[in-house]
Amino acid sequence: MSAETLNMRRNDWRARGNAGYWAFVVHRISGIALALFLPLHFWALSTSLQGAAALDGFLLWTDAPLFKFAEWGLVILLTAHMAGGIRLLVIEFGQWHGTRKLWIAVALAASVAVGVLLGAIMLS
Amino acid sequence: MVGLSLMRPLKVKIWRGGQQGAFVAYEVPRLASQSVLDVVTYVQRSLDPSLSYRFSCRVGMCGSCAMSVNGVARWTCRTHVAKVTDEARDDVLELAPLSNLPIIKDLTTDMSEFFDKWAKAKGQFTGTLTRDDEFSNVKPDSPERKKVDAAIECIGCGVCYASCDTVSWRPDYLGPAALNRAWSLVNDVRDAAQNDRLKSVAGDSGCHACHTHTTCSERCPKGIEPTAGISGLKRLAARAAIRGELD
Amino acid sequence: MKASTQAKLWYAQRISAMLLALCVLVHLVTILYAMRGGLSAAEILARTRGNFSFAIFYFVFVLSVVVHAPIGLARIAEEWMQWRGRSLHIALLLVTLLLTVLGLRAVWGVYVG
Ligand code: HEM
Ligand code: SF4
Ligand code: SF4
Ligand code: FES
């Protein structure tokens, strides 16, 4: 960093509280989580190359509550990332004004709905 | 009731010095309809004449009085003290120079890079007509002119630039104001440097670095939405790149 | 990076995002449907083995992710880790390769076995 960059103030969270910023944070964190999870997901599915028994072995392993919880979280993050991503696409490719917050609400609602639905299915 | 509430002085913290400075506490008498700029002026005129700050018009025309008010970039002349502090809770008013800009002293920042970026984004008009030609006619209700209208009222105050995290993360990012300016020229049907402009605003430090936080649009005191114009630039520049027009 | 390259990458990430939005929607419905009554390998594979449309669908899904995710990760590395330039591009090329190989292997696994 040059001396110049050091010579200025940086914003803290007081400057960031707007809905669009939170949407960005969720999008980025969920993006990172998905990118980390994906290789594991692919690897797990590939165990089926050794036959159904191997995949079943893996699925049994994932029956542990901690795994279930993580899976549940990831599906919610995936929904949040998708819905938030669609909102970004709408802003970037459409000529929209003023609908941004509505779309954040829609994204939030979709994530909660999928979370509840999946939670109910998992627990039943 | 007003008389009573005016009794309690306003607690103010003001950044003094450059980056190696510190917040210094002051107490300022409260007044009805007091603006944050009034508070700064009181401190300089009555408490410490060495305080540096900028202002000119006092009515939201010039854009020189922007500062960080309780952590949020604002025009101080158009911000009521009562809007950002609660007297009943005895809130402190914190004033600092704008973020993302080098501090000169106290509340003044060096805005040269901010304006240099306007030039880098080809923020200047390139015409083709001479004084001997007829005026060009641009219909006020044409789609292009309407897009220009939405962007043209920028007064270069730097509030959006100071609020944008992408500027903090990528110091060479042109920022919302310069890109908004470029967008108003992209929609100027008389301008003859369109391709050059798209080249200057594309890429790492240009429009494609924007993450659509919309913080800039949220904060702009003129109600401009730089995010909308930046999205337009992203589309146009990407399309031009695909067609090989940016190489 | 050249401005025109960056602009193209931006476009590639958005186009792949559009494809992903469709894929994830279908994927989510499938998850919710398949999860009823628990997951078993036999059930999953019965659905996918030899099912050509499944294979094509997940092939497109994997390729879109392979385009989409590394571009996003690059910007995170640049902005939050101040990691830029050649070494970053090489690292991301490796991530891209890893995702491609693992992804296509997974599709192959559930489709052909
Ligand atoms: C469901 C469909 C998806 C859509 C519509 C979508 C959309 C988007 C969009 C528009 C961006 C750009 C955000 C920005 O530049 O600020 C983005 C970023 C990103 N996406 Fe996705 N995405 C999807 C799926 C995925 C998946 C499956 C992954 C995981 C591998 C992923 C990982 C990422 C990452 C890491 C970023 C970077 C975030 C950032 O720059 O802040 N996305 N996504
Ligand atoms: S929308 Fe773009 S320009 Fe505006 S604050 Fe966010 S990153 Fe900065
Ligand atoms: S766009 Fe708005 S906030 Fe940004 S410099 Fe112009 S007037 Fe100020
Ligand atoms: S003093 Fe001119 S805008 Fe505030």
Side-chain angles (χ1 to χ4, degrees):
Chain A
M1 244 186 246
S2 67
E4 250 202 359
T5 1
L6 282 174
N7 192 26
M8 51 183 86
R9 292 176 58 81
R10 293 287 182 230
N11 286 318
D12 55 38
W13 284 94
R14 292 175 297 177
R16 295 174 176 146
N18 53 308
Y21 197 87
W22 283 115
F24 161 78
V25 170
V26 170
H27 196 73
R28 180 159 276 194
I29 301 299
S30 59
I32 296 173
L34 290 171
L36 290 177
F37 160 77
L38 211 61
L40 291 176
H41 187 53
F42 285 157
W43 173 78
L45 288 170
S46 308
T47 56
S48 66
L49 280 169
Q50 279 103 52
L55 183 56
D56 253 339
F58 179 80
L59 290 177
L60 206 66
W61 203 50
T62 62
D63 258 343
L66 186 66
F67 248 95
K68 283 265 172 261
F69 184 70
E71 274 177 353
W72 178 70
L74 273 161
V75 172
I76 293 177
L77 286 181
L78 179 63
T79 315
H81 190 85
M82 177 195 67
I86 293 175
R87 165 180 168 268
L88 288 173
L89 293 173
V90 167
I91 292 179
E92 286 182 340
F93 287 91
Q95 315 267 332
W96 300 65
H97 290 277
T99 55
R100 304 181 172 127
K101 287 184 186 143
L102 178 66
W103 276 85
I104 295 174
V106 170
L108 200 64
S111 315
V112 171
V114 167
V116 170
L117 201 62
L118 184 69
I121 290 173
M122 278 178 151
L123 292 176
S124 68
Chain B
M1 196 204 115
V2 171
L4 252 187
S5 65
L6 291 179
M7 298 298 286
R8 185 186 265 177
L10 172 69
K11 294 196 175 110
V12 190
K13 277 194 316 186
I14 301 182
W15 182 261
R16 301 303 308 267
Q19 182 70 20
Q20 271 75 45
F23 281 103
V24 175
Y26 301 91
E27 288 202 350
V28 174
R30 278 181 200 271
L31 297 169
S33 300
Q34 193 173 24
S35 74
V36 174
L37 184 62
D38 293 337
V39 171
V40 182
T41 301
Y42 179 88
V43 172
Q44 202 237 21
R45 303 243 165 113
S46 309
L47 302 178
D48 184 350
S50 73
L51 175 67
S52 303
Y53 69 110
R54 277 193 200 107
F55 75 98
S56 176
C57 69
R58 293 175 287 113
V59 289
M61 299 285 286
C62 71
S64 63
C65 67
M67 298 169 201
S68 180
V69 179
N70 287 347
V72 176
R74 292 177 182 281
W75 291 348
T76 51
C77 71
R78 302 291 287 166
T79 303
H80 279 283
V81 170
K83 194 183 156 198
V84 287
T85 57
D86 184 345
E87 185 179 0
R89 285 189 309 178
D90 206 12
D91 283 345
V92 176
L93 181 66
E94 184 197 293
L95 300 173
L98 286 178
S99 300
N100 294 337
L101 292 160
I103 302 170
I104 297 174
K105 176 175 171 284
D106 303 338
L107 298 169
T108 52
T109 55
D110 180 353
M111 309 226 4
S112 17
E113 193 178 5
F114 172 74
F115 288 114
D116 286 348
K117 285 177 175 177
W118 288 46
K120 277 193 201 148
K122 286 255 176 314
Q124 59 282 79
F125 173 73
T126 309
T128 50
L129 302 182
T130 69
R131 69 177 70 195
D132 305 319
D133 292 304
E134 280 297 314
F135 289 123
S136 41
N137 286 308
V138 181
K139 286 225 159 58
D141 57 353
S142 63
E144 289 83 9
R145 177 64 229 201
K146 281 184 174 162
K147 284 184 198 155
V148 174
D149 281 343
I152 199 73
E153 294 289 335
C154 170
I155 60 174
C157 65
V159 161
C160 55
Y161 186 85
S163 309
C164 173
D165 267 1
T166 304
V167 174
S168 312
W169 297 334
R170 294 180 191 266
D172 56 349
Y173 176 46
L174 295 172
L179 292 171
N180 177 70
R181 172 64 188 159
W183 175 245
S184 64
L185 287 166
V186 160
N187 288 295
D188 189 329
V189 291
R190 305 163 306 163
D191 188 277
Q194 296 299 356
N195 216 52
D196 271 358
R197 187 167 298 109
L198 282 185
K199 266 185 210 164
S200 325
V201 300
D204 282 334
S205 56
C207 58
H208 296 106
C210 162
H211 285 287
T212 318
H213 301 142
T214 64
T215 317
C216 53
S217 307
E218 202 85 29
R219 299 274 180 263
C220 173
K222 298 287 289 186
I224 294 169
E225 297 184 307
T227 318
I230 295 171
S231 302
L233 291 176
K234 286 174 181 170
R235 293 194 299 271
L236 289 182
R239 213 163 295 154
I242 304 278
R243 294 200 191 118
E245 291 163 6
L246 291 192
D247 297 303
Chain C
M1 196 175 280
K2 256 174 46 186
S4 58
T5 315
Q6 189 66 27
K8 284 177 201 162
L9 285 179
W10 175 85
Y11 216 25
Q13 207 205 21
R14 294 328 192 244
I15 300 292
S16 57
M18 290 173 195
L19 282 171
L20 280 171
L22 285 177
C23 293
V24 170
L25 221 55
V26 173
H27 194 51
L28 279 175
V29 172
T30 315
I31 292 175
L32 290 176
Y33 176 79
M35 292 283 286
R36 295 166 320 141
L39 279 178
S40 91
E43 245 179 35
I44 296 177
L45 297 178
R47 230 186 345 259
T48 60
R49 285 267 150 93
N51 186 336
F52 192 64
S53 24
F54 250 99
I56 290 288
F57 172 75
Y58 282 104
F59 182 70
V60 172
F61 200 162
V62 166
L63 288 192
S64 315
V65 167
V66 161
V67 172
H68 179 88
I71 300 175
L73 291 174
R75 315 189 65 200
I76 296 173
E78 286 167 356
E79 291 169 4
W80 284 6
M81 300 160 67
Q82 304 299 321
W83 180 10
R84 289 183 183 150
R86 211 179 149 70
S87 64
L88 173 65
H89 298 158
I90 292 174
L92 286 163
L93 220 57
L94 291 178
V95 170
T96 309
L97 264 166
L98 180 83
L99 282 178
T100 315
V101 171
L102 286 178
L104 293 182
R105 199 163 152 261
V107 177
W108 188 254
V110 292
Y111 171 59
V112 186

